[in-house]
Amino acid sequence: MRNAVWYLLHLVLLSASTQAWRFYVGPFRTWRQRNYASQLRGGDATDSDSVPVIPFVDEPPVWASKKKALVLLDTFSPYHGMFLAHRAKQIFGVAIVPVFSDYMKGYFQLEQPDDLLRLLSMCMPSAEEKDDWLKPLKEMDLIAVVCESDSGLADAEKLAVLLNTKFNNGINEARRNKYLMMEKLKEAGVPVVEQCLCQSLDEARDFAKQLGMGSRDDSCVVVKPVRGVGSEDVVLCRDMISVEAAFKRIYGATVFGSPREKHQSVLLQEFAIGTEFAIDMVSKNGEHKVAAVWKYDKRPANGASFVYYATKLFDGPEAAEICGYLRICLNELELKWGITHSEIILTADGPRLVEVNCRHHNMDFIPLTMECIGYNAFDMLLAAYLGVEEDPDVYPLETESGRLNWDFLPHNPSTRMNGAMMHLVNYKNGTLANVNDEALMEIQKMDSVLDLEVYPPFLDLGGTILPTVDIRSDAGWVQLVNPDSTQFQKDYDRIIELMPSLFEVKEK
C-alpha cells in the first residue's frame, strides 16, 4: 500500500466491489477501471454497544478439495493484497479472510465514522473473541497471515500466533525495530554498521564524535527513527548542527504505525558507503528464493539526503554475494516463511544490511518482473504456502497452468530485459499553475516506457504541491522495459532531465 493519506481517501472501501482508478488527464492513457471480487466488509452489527468481530470469508469461484484460507491484513492496493487475493482464489481455490490492523481501525474510526460498526466488525479478534471468530472457519485450514502495510506488521505476527496458522514465524520485535535488528545480527557475528540508540542529544553528539564527526572532513552519520518507511526522517548528517536538527525532529514525534506512541530515542548509525540494493525474497520453511534484485538510484534533492529517482532490476555478478548475505540475515531473524523486502548496501568491506521488511515492495512491480524475469513474488508466495500438497488433485485442474512449482524456481533469478520503476521527482513548491503535457507526451512515446502515472495532487490545477523529499511525496512513476540497454539508458536519462520541467507553480 502506498502510505499516503490521499491514496486511502480515493479508495472505495466496504462496497459490493472494491474499485481503484489510475488517473487520466488530457491525451494520456487511462488505466482500466478494475473490479475486484474481494470485498472489504464485515458482518452486520445491530447492537451499537456490543459490536461482534465476525470474519468475512471471500470465497473462491471453485474450492480446492481441501478447504483453505489465507488471512490478509490491511488489503487495499490493487497490485499488492488484492492481486494476491485474486490469484489465491482463482488459481488455487483458496478463500480470503480480510482483516484490519488496529492501526487501520483507528484511522477509519477517524475518517469514516459512519461505517464504524461495519469496520469494527472485521477487525482483529482478541484472545477472548478468538473461539467465536474461528467458528465460521472451522472447516478450513488457516494457512498464514500476509500483511500489506508497514503499520500492521506487528499485528500480523500476533494474529498468526493467536490463530495458530499452519505457517508462521512467531513474534520477534527485531524484525520491525531497526536497532534491535542490527543488534540481533551483530550478536550472531553478521557484519553490520556501527550504531547507537540515543535517548538524549548529548548521547547523539558523543556517538557522532566517535564516528569521526568534527575530526575528519569526510565523516558522516545517518540519523533515523527506529521504525519508519520510505526514507522518511532518514537524514545523512555531515556536521554536528545537522545531527542536532535531525535528532530534535525525530525525538518526541509519533512512531510510524503507533499513533499513541512517541519516539523516546533516536537511532544513529555509521554511514555505509557503497551501492544500495533492494531484494525481494520469498521463504518456504527456511529455503529463501529471490524474486528480484533491484539497484536504487537515490540522490540528494530538495534538501533531503535520499530521494528515490529509480529502482532498477539488477542481475550483475554482485547479486550472489548480496543474496547470500541476506539469507544469513533472514535465518538469524528466524524468518522461515513468507515474503520480505530488504535493503542492503554493498560496501568495500562487503554487504551491510539497511533493513528487512516483512512485506512486499511498496509499488507496482508485477508488470516489470513478469516482463523481465517471467514470474512475480506473489505467485512465488502462493507456491511456497500452497504448493506443499502431495495430492496434485487438491487444487482446481483447470488452473494448473497458472501455478508455479516452487521446486523449479531458481534461488537467484536472471533477467531477460532491462527494467526500472522511475519515480517522478517534483522540485516545485507552490500553487500548481500548469502541467507540462508536452513533456509527459514525450515520456509516454519513448520506446522503453511500459506505463506511467501522475498522482492526483499534481494534476489538480490550483492546488498546492510540495517538493519531493521521500517516496511518499513523489509526483508519480514511470515503468521502463527494454531489451536494448542503450535505448533503455537513453530514455532513462531523458526522463530525469525532464523532471524539473514537469510542473509550473505560482510561487508562495
Side-chain angles (χ1 to χ4, degrees):
M1 180 179 70
R2 179 178 170 79
N3 293 295
V5 172
W6 66 261
Y7 181 76
L8 289 175
L9 294 177
H10 282 84
L11 288 175
V12 181
L13 298 175
L14 305 170
S15 60
S17 63
T18 302
Q19 301 171 328
W21 291 265
R22 301 288 183 177
F23 294 84
Y24 171 74
V25 159
F28 300 108
R29 74 183 67 173
T30 178
W31 277 60
R32 297 180 301 275
Q33 178 175 320
R34 306 179 189 182
N35 295 312
Y36 290 86
S38 180
Q39 301 172 10
L40 294 178
R41 61 175 175 83
D44 293 326
T46 56
D47 182 357
S48 61
D49 295 324
S50 178
V51 180
V53 179
I54 302 170
F56 169 67
V57 181
D58 187 7
E59 298 185 358
V62 178
W63 280 94
S65 62
K66 294 181 181 178
K67 287 192 172 184
K68 303 180 181 184
L70 277 174
V71 179
L72 300 190
L73 203 70
D74 293 348
T75 298
F76 301 108
S77 174
Y79 47 78
H80 282 185
M82 285 193 231
F83 177 85
L84 180 66
H86 177 77
R87 297 291 287 178
K89 291 188 302 177
Q90 298 292 327
I91 306 301
F92 284 89
V94 170
I96 299 299
V97 182
V99 178
F100 286 135
S101 67
D102 286 344
Y103 177 84
M104 293 311 304
K105 178 181 73 174
Y107 174 86
F108 287 123
Q109 282 176 317
L110 292 174
E111 297 296 331
Q112 294 187 224
D114 292 342
D115 271 328
L116 183 58
L117 296 184
R118 294 172 66 198
L119 288 165
L120 290 178
S121 72
M122 64 171 294
C123 291
M124 288 181 50
S126 64
E128 293 75 21
E129 295 166 327
K130 181 191 73 170
D131 291 340
D132 287 337
W133 192 88
L134 285 172
K135 285 179 181 178
L137 309 175
K138 62 183 178 181
E139 296 182 359
M140 304 177 204
D141 286 339
L142 292 182
I143 301 300
V145 176
V146 181
C147 184
E148 179 179 307
S149 71
D150 283 279
S151 52
L153 292 175
D155 283 349
E157 286 190 349
K158 295 174 185 175
L159 186 60
V161 171
L162 178 67
L163 301 180
N164 192 28
T165 58
K166 187 173 182 180
F167 306 122
N168 72 74
N169 296 305
I171 297 174
N172 188 339
E173 190 181 352
R175 300 185 194 123
R176 299 176 301 281
N177 184 298
K178 296 175 184 180
Y179 172 75
L180 295 179
M181 184 179 293
M182 298 300 176
E183 290 300 297
K184 176 75 173 177
L185 297 177
K186 184 178 179 180
E187 290 173 6
V190 180
V192 293
V193 296
E194 293 296 320
Q195 65 173 1
C196 180
L197 190 63
C198 303
Q199 276 79 35
S200 70
L201 193 53
D202 285 340
E203 282 186 271
R205 292 191 189 102
D206 290 343
F207 183 70
K209 291 177 182 177
Q210 289 179 33
L211 294 180
M213 186 157 287
S215 60
R216 296 200 321 266
D217 292 338
D218 62 345
S219 63
C220 297
V221 61
V222 176
V223 181
K224 63 172 70 171
V226 294
R227 286 182 58 193
V229 62
S231 297
E232 184 179 26
D233 287 333
V234 178
V235 182
L236 177 62
C237 299
R238 302 181 184 276
D239 54 51
M240 199 64 73
I241 293 175
S242 60
V243 170
E244 294 170 356
F247 182 94
K248 291 175 182 177
R249 181 164 60 252
I250 297 169
Y251 189 84
T254 301
V255 176
F256 179 82
S258 301
R260 296 180 182 85
E261 188 179 355
K262 304 295 183 182
H263 284 293
Q264 299 302 311
S265 57
V266 177
L267 181 58
L268 271 68
Q269 291 180 332
E270 167 195 4
F271 177 52
I273 300 174
T275 303
E276 187 172 2
F277 297 87
I279 302 92
D280 299 331
M281 190 90 79
V282 177
S283 303
K284 176 182 177 181
N285 197 26
E287 184 181 19
H288 311 295
K289 293 191 175 185
V290 178
V293 179
W294 308 87
K295 183 178 178 180
Y296 280 149
D297 182 353
K298 291 183 181 180
R299 311 180 187 191
N302 299 319
S305 303
F306 306 103
V307 173
Y308 291 83
Y309 279 76
T311 306
K312 303 170 67 173
L313 276 169
F314 179 82
D315 70 349
E318 300 89 345
E321 180 183 9
I322 297 165
C323 295
Y325 171 84
L326 178 58
R327 290 185 176 97
I328 295 172
C329 294
L330 297 185
N331 288 336
E332 295 301 331
L333 294 171
E334 300 171 337
L335 278 163
K336 297 179 66 177
W337 293 95
I339 197 166
T340 51
H341 167 65
S342 306
E343 295 167 340
I344 289 173
I345 295 176
L346 184 58
T347 73
D349 297 321
R352 296 293 184 268
L353 183 71
V354 177
E355 62 182 354
V356 172
N357 301 285
C358 298
R359 53 148 177 88
H360 191 254
H361 217 147
N362 268 346
M363 291 197 78
D364 185 6
F365 289 96
I366 295 171
L368 295 178
T369 56
M370 292 301 293
E371 290 281 346
C372 300
I373 296 175
Y375 50 88
N376 64 80
F378 291 116
D379 283 336
M380 289 179 66
L381 182 64
L382 293 175
Y385 279 146
L386 301 171
V388 294
E389 292 290 348
E390 295 180 1
D391 182 0
D393 297 329
V394 166
Y395 302 115
L397 293 177
E398 58 268 29
T399 58
E400 183 178 5
S401 62
R403 297 191 285 271
L404 293 180
N405 187 318
W406 175 267
D407 294 334
F408 293 165
L409 294 171
H411 283 86
N412 295 341
S414 58
T415 59
R416 57 195 183 192
M417 290 191 192
N418 303 284
M421 176 73 80
M422 298 195 70
H423 306 264
L424 295 179
V425 175
N426 170 50
Y427 297 85
K428 304 298 177 58
N429 184 359
T431 302
L432 182 62
N434 186 52
V435 177
N436 189 341
D437 289 354
E438 184 177 341
L440 290 174
M441 281 298 294
E442 180 183 345
I443 293 172
Q444 181 171 302
K445 290 178 180 179
M446 291 177 180
D447 292 343
S448 304
V449 172
L450 180 67
D451 216 333
L452 66 87
E453 178 183 3
V454 178
Y455 294 137
F458 295 89
L459 301 175
D460 182 20
L461 299 181
T464 300
I465 61 173
L466 299 174
T468 300
V469 294
D470 54 34
I471 199 169
R472 298 197 296 169
S473 56
D474 56 25
W477 51 258
V478 184
Q479 292 173 336
L480 272 64
V481 171
N482 201 317
D484 186 328
S485 299
T486 301
Q487 185 62 49
F488 175 86
Q489 191 62 45
K490 179 181 177 181
D491 292 342
Y492 182 96
D493 293 340
R494 177 58 177 160
I495 292 171
I496 290 180
E497 184 181 343
L498 287 170
M499 285 183 191
S501 67
L502 292 179
F503 310 104
E504 296 177 9
V505 298
K506 298 176 183 177
E507 300 291 343
K508 290 185 174 181

PDB file of all heavy atoms in Angstrom, residues 408-419:
ATOM      1  N   PHE A 408      10.946 -25.797  -8.995  1.00  0.00           N
ATOM      2  CA  PHE A 408      11.548 -25.453 -10.277  1.00  0.00           C
ATOM      3  C   PHE A 408      12.090 -24.023 -10.307  1.00  0.00           C
ATOM      4  O   PHE A 408      12.762 -23.634 -11.269  1.00  0.00           O
ATOM      5  CB  PHE A 408      10.530 -25.615 -11.405  1.00  0.00           C
ATOM      6  CG  PHE A 408      10.110 -27.050 -11.642  1.00  0.00           C
ATOM      7  CD1 PHE A 408       8.989 -27.339 -12.402  1.00  0.00           C
ATOM      8  CD2 PHE A 408      10.833 -28.108 -11.110  1.00  0.00           C
ATOM      9  CE1 PHE A 408       8.593 -28.650 -12.622  1.00  0.00           C
ATOM     10  CE2 PHE A 408      10.441 -29.424 -11.315  1.00  0.00           C
ATOM     11  CZ  PHE A 408       9.321 -29.693 -12.082  1.00  0.00           C
ATOM     12  N   LEU A 409      11.802 -23.236  -9.291  1.00  0.00           N
ATOM     13  CA  LEU A 409      12.226 -21.841  -9.276  1.00  0.00           C
ATOM     14  C   LEU A 409      13.701 -21.734  -8.879  1.00  0.00           C
ATOM     15  O   LEU A 409      14.150 -22.399  -7.946  1.00  0.00           O
ATOM     16  CB  LEU A 409      11.386 -21.035  -8.285  1.00  0.00           C
ATOM     17  CG  LEU A 409       9.899 -20.877  -8.626  1.00  0.00           C
ATOM     18  CD1 LEU A 409       9.154 -20.240  -7.453  1.00  0.00           C
ATOM     19  CD2 LEU A 409       9.722 -20.032  -9.880  1.00  0.00           C
ATOM     20  N   PRO A 410      14.477 -20.888  -9.558  1.00  0.00           N
ATOM     21  CA  PRO A 410      15.894 -20.731  -9.191  1.00  0.00           C
ATOM     22  C   PRO A 410      16.031 -19.981  -7.876  1.00  0.00           C
ATOM     23  O   PRO A 410      15.136 -19.238  -7.472  1.00  0.00           O
ATOM     24  CB  PRO A 410      16.458 -19.906 -10.355  1.00  0.00           C
ATOM     25  CG  PRO A 410      15.293 -19.108 -10.855  1.00  0.00           C
ATOM     26  CD  PRO A 410      14.090 -20.008 -10.687  1.00  0.00           C
ATOM     27  N   HIS A 411      17.151 -20.158  -7.219  1.00  0.00           N
ATOM     28  CA  HIS A 411      17.384 -19.421  -5.980  1.00  0.00           C
ATOM     29  C   HIS A 411      17.660 -17.942  -6.260  1.00  0.00           C
ATOM     30  O   HIS A 411      17.265 -17.082  -5.476  1.00  0.00           O
ATOM     31  CB  HIS A 411      18.540 -20.042  -5.197  1.00  0.00           C
ATOM     32  CG  HIS A 411      18.148 -21.301  -4.475  1.00  0.00           C
ATOM     33  ND1 HIS A 411      18.174 -22.538  -5.069  1.00  0.00           N
ATOM     34  CD2 HIS A 411      17.678 -21.499  -3.220  1.00  0.00           C
ATOM     35  CE1 HIS A 411      17.759 -23.461  -4.205  1.00  0.00           C
ATOM     36  NE2 HIS A 411      17.451 -22.856  -3.076  1.00  0.00           N
ATOM     37  N   ASN A 412      18.326 -17.662  -7.361  1.00  0.00           N
ATOM     38  CA  ASN A 412      18.558 -16.285  -7.803  1.00  0.00           C
ATOM     39  C   ASN A 412      18.103 -16.176  -9.256  1.00  0.00           C
ATOM     40  O   ASN A 412      18.579 -16.939 -10.103  1.00  0.00           O
ATOM     41  CB  ASN A 412      20.034 -15.903  -7.713  1.00  0.00           C
ATOM     42  CG  ASN A 412      20.537 -15.883  -6.281  1.00  0.00           C
ATOM     43  OD1 ASN A 412      19.767 -15.807  -5.340  1.00  0.00           O
ATOM     44  ND2 ASN A 412      21.849 -15.956  -6.122  1.00  0.00           N
ATOM     45  N   PRO A 413      17.197 -15.243  -9.571  1.00  0.00           N
ATOM     46  CA  PRO A 413      16.685 -15.158 -10.947  1.00  0.00           C
ATOM     47  C   PRO A 413      17.655 -14.436 -11.866  1.00  0.00           C
ATOM     48  O   PRO A 413      18.555 -13.721 -11.422  1.00  0.00           O
ATOM     49  CB  PRO A 413      15.400 -14.348 -10.771  1.00  0.00           C
ATOM     50  CG  PRO A 413      15.706 -13.435  -9.619  1.00  0.00           C
ATOM     51  CD  PRO A 413      16.598 -14.233  -8.694  1.00  0.00           C
ATOM     52  N   SER A 414      17.461 -14.632 -13.149  1.00  0.00           N
ATOM     53  CA  SER A 414      18.192 -13.849 -14.149  1.00  0.00           C
ATOM     54  C   SER A 414      17.184 -13.030 -14.943  1.00  0.00           C
ATOM     55  O   SER A 414      16.021 -13.414 -15.065  1.00  0.00           O
ATOM     56  CB  SER A 414      18.979 -14.770 -15.090  1.00  0.00           C
ATOM     57  OG  SER A 414      18.107 -15.687 -15.727  1.00  0.00           O
ATOM     58  N   THR A 415      17.626 -11.897 -15.458  1.00  0.00           N
ATOM     59  CA  THR A 415      16.729 -11.022 -16.200  1.00  0.00           C
ATOM     60  C   THR A 415      16.948 -11.203 -17.693  1.00  0.00           C
ATOM     61  O   THR A 415      18.071 -11.445 -18.145  1.00  0.00           O
ATOM     62  CB  THR A 415      16.948  -9.549 -15.833  1.00  0.00           C
ATOM     63  OG1 THR A 415      18.298  -9.187 -16.126  1.00  0.00           O
ATOM     64  CG2 THR A 415      16.666  -9.313 -14.355  1.00  0.00           C
ATOM     65  N   ARG A 416      15.850 -11.070 -18.460  1.00  0.00           N
ATOM     66  CA  ARG A 416      15.936 -11.169 -19.912  1.00  0.00           C
ATOM     67  C   ARG A 416      15.745  -9.814 -20.577  1.00  0.00           C
ATOM     68  O   ARG A 416      15.845  -9.709 -21.791  1.00  0.00           O
ATOM     69  CB  ARG A 416      14.887 -12.162 -20.419  1.00  0.00           C
ATOM     70  CG  ARG A 416      13.463 -11.813 -20.026  1.00  0.00           C
ATOM     71  CD  ARG A 416      12.525 -12.983 -20.224  1.00  0.00           C
ATOM     72  NE  ARG A 416      11.140 -12.646 -19.930  1.00  0.00           N
ATOM     73  CZ  ARG A 416      10.165 -13.548 -19.798  1.00  0.00           C
ATOM     74  NH1 ARG A 416      10.439 -14.846 -19.926  1.00  0.00           N
ATOM     75  NH2 ARG A 416       8.933 -13.165 -19.551  1.00  0.00           N
ATOM     76  N   MET A 417      15.436  -8.797 -19.771  1.00  0.00           N
ATOM     77  CA  MET A 417      15.295  -7.432 -20.265  1.00  0.00           C
ATOM     78  C   MET A 417      15.766  -6.463 -19.192  1.00  0.00           C
ATOM     79  O   MET A 417      15.899  -6.822 -18.027  1.00  0.00           O
ATOM     80  CB  MET A 417      13.829  -7.103 -20.585  1.00  0.00           C
ATOM     81  CG  MET A 417      13.246  -7.799 -21.781  1.00  0.00           C
ATOM     82  SD  MET A 417      11.648  -7.055 -22.196  1.00  0.00           S
ATOM     83  CE  MET A 417      11.038  -8.262 -23.375  1.00  0.00           C
ATOM     84  N   ASN A 418      15.997  -5.219 -19.598  1.00  0.00           N
ATOM     85  CA  ASN A 418      16.235  -4.138 -18.651  1.00  0.00           C
ATOM     86  C   ASN A 418      14.889  -3.631 -18.147  1.00  0.00           C
ATOM     87  O   ASN A 418      13.938  -3.491 -18.920  1.00  0.00           O
ATOM     88  CB  ASN A 418      16.979  -2.996 -19.336  1.00  0.00           C
ATOM     89  CG  ASN A 418      18.284  -3.448 -19.948  1.00  0.00           C
ATOM     90  OD1 ASN A 418      19.255  -3.665 -19.257  1.00  0.00           O
ATOM     91  ND2 ASN A 418      18.293  -3.611 -21.272  1.00  0.00           N
ATOM     92  N   GLY A 419      14.799  -3.354 -16.871  1.00  0.00           N
ATOM     93  CA  GLY A 419      13.543  -2.869 -16.305  1.00  0.00           C
ATOM     94  C   GLY A 419      13.794  -1.911 -15.157  1.00  0.00           C
ATOM     95  O   GLY A 419      14.786  -2.044 -14.426  1.00  0.00           O
TER      96      GLY A 419
END
